[in-house]
Amino acid sequence: MLDILKARKEALEERGNKGFTLAELLIVVAIIAVLVAIAIPVFTTQLERSREATDISNVRAAYAEATADYLATGAKEAKTATAPVQQKEAGWQMGADQAVIHSRVNGTDTPVSIPAKTSGQYTVTVAADGTVSVS
């Protein structure tokens, strides 16, 4: 048994130390942990911004749907369309100035703000007089 251990020790010495020390491995793990700690907040911020962009896109599609129904019926009655909410955080991360649709139902460019929501759905209403509201 002792001969086997000696032979193994000699074989290892001939090859040289090709492994990593514990200190080297700990340094690598620490570097990876720092990179992850930096990346996670950036990732979550970008994820929320993509949810907001999806919400704005869905509201614009609902606006197009409600406007098309309004115009197809001869503007006799109010039309509504809904869009699901994707956001998880309150407020707009990308800026409230980007959360606007431009209504042109009556021939004038009227900006309509989209409220920030974290649950429920958006309702886009085109009233009988052509005014647009988002709630």
Side-chain angles (χ1 to χ4, degrees), residues 58-59 61-63 65-66 80-84 121-124:
N58 288 342
V59 169
Y63 165 73
E65 179 184 346
T80 62
T82 60
Q121 63 185 10
Y122 289 103
T123 303
V124 179

Side-chain angles (χ1 to χ4, degrees), residues 24-79:
E24 291 170 334
L25 290 175
L26 287 175
I27 290 171
V28 169
V29 169
I31 291 171
I32 291 172
V34 167
L35 292 175
V36 167
I38 292 170
I40 287 177
V42 171
F43 175 73
T44 55
T45 300
Q46 292 301 322
L47 186 62
E48 184 61 24
R49 289 185 71 168
S50 70
R51 286 183 182 129
E52 290 175 4
T54 301
D55 279 351
I56 292 170
S57 176
N58 288 342
V59 169
R60 287 181 180 152
Y63 165 73
E65 179 184 346
T67 303
D69 286 347
Y70 175 81
L71 295 173
T73 60
K76 297 176 185 168
E77 60 186 46
K79 295 295 180 178

Side-chain angles (χ1 to χ4, degrees), residues 3-14:
D3 293 335
I4 294 173
L5 291 175
K6 284 181 182 179
R8 186 162 185 210
K9 183 179 177 185
E10 289 173 5
L12 286 174
E13 288 174 357
E14 287 176 11

